[in-house]
Amino acid sequence: MNPEQDGQADRRHSDRFPIEREVRYKILSKRSAEDAGDGKTVNISSSGVLFSAGHVLLPGRRLELSISWPAQLNNKCALKLVARGRVVRFEDGRAAMEISNTNSGPNPLSQRRVRKSW
């Protein structure tokens, strides 16, 4: 039985891409010292990231992710995608984070057109 048949249709609105990259995360909190950890992305979409995490990350927790990107600027400079958002799910050592913004302001991955900025 597929999800549509049992009434549990996939609620995700963005395509997910199976991209495995190194990720560094830090928990954003005003109340405590920052916790940080490393992991690997499992998949990425324009609205979120699923990644492995060494810490239990509670839903609602705000994070900043730094993901090593496979492209280079002018074939010389390694790029990183820095995204902020909140944990929406954590199970089996994997955290799902909804992206609220990236290092370039509002999430550019959600725009239909991609413009070259350099």
Side-chain angles (χ1 to χ4, degrees):
M1 183 179 271
N2 70 33
E4 283 84 21
Q5 290 173 331
D6 69 4
Q8 295 181 4
D10 192 343
R11 292 177 286 159
R12 296 175 186 102
H13 299 288
S14 303
D15 291 332
R16 293 181 304 277
F17 299 95
I19 299 172
E20 185 177 299
R21 303 299 302 171
E22 297 290 326
V23 64
R24 177 100 177 125
Y25 60 88
K26 62 181 175 179
I27 299 169
L28 304 174
S29 174
K30 294 179 182 177
R31 290 183 233 143
S32 64
E34 290 181 350
D35 271 332
D38 297 304
K40 287 191 184 269
T41 60
V42 175
N43 63 52
I44 300 175
S45 76
S46 62
S47 60
V49 179
L50 178 65
F51 64 98
S52 63
H55 294 89
V56 173
L57 299 172
L58 299 174
R61 187 70 69 126
R62 293 184 60 242
L63 300 178
E64 180 177 274
L65 297 182
S66 178
I67 302 169
S68 66
W69 208 241
Q72 291 187 332
L73 179 61
N74 296 326
N75 291 324
K76 296 178 184 175
C77 181
L79 297 175
K80 286 197 180 286
L81 171 66
V82 179
R84 288 185 174 204
R86 65 179 182 83
V87 176
V88 293
R89 181 177 74 254
F90 184 87
E91 54 191 43
D92 300 327
R94 293 178 171 181
M97 184 187 91
E98 179 181 50
I99 296 172
S100 59
N101 62 31
T102 61
N103 55 346
S104 58
N107 183 2
L109 299 175
S110 66
Q111 297 174 0
R112 292 210 180 263
R113 284 189 186 174
V114 176
R115 291 183 296 223
K116 195 169 183 178
S117 60
W118 57 81

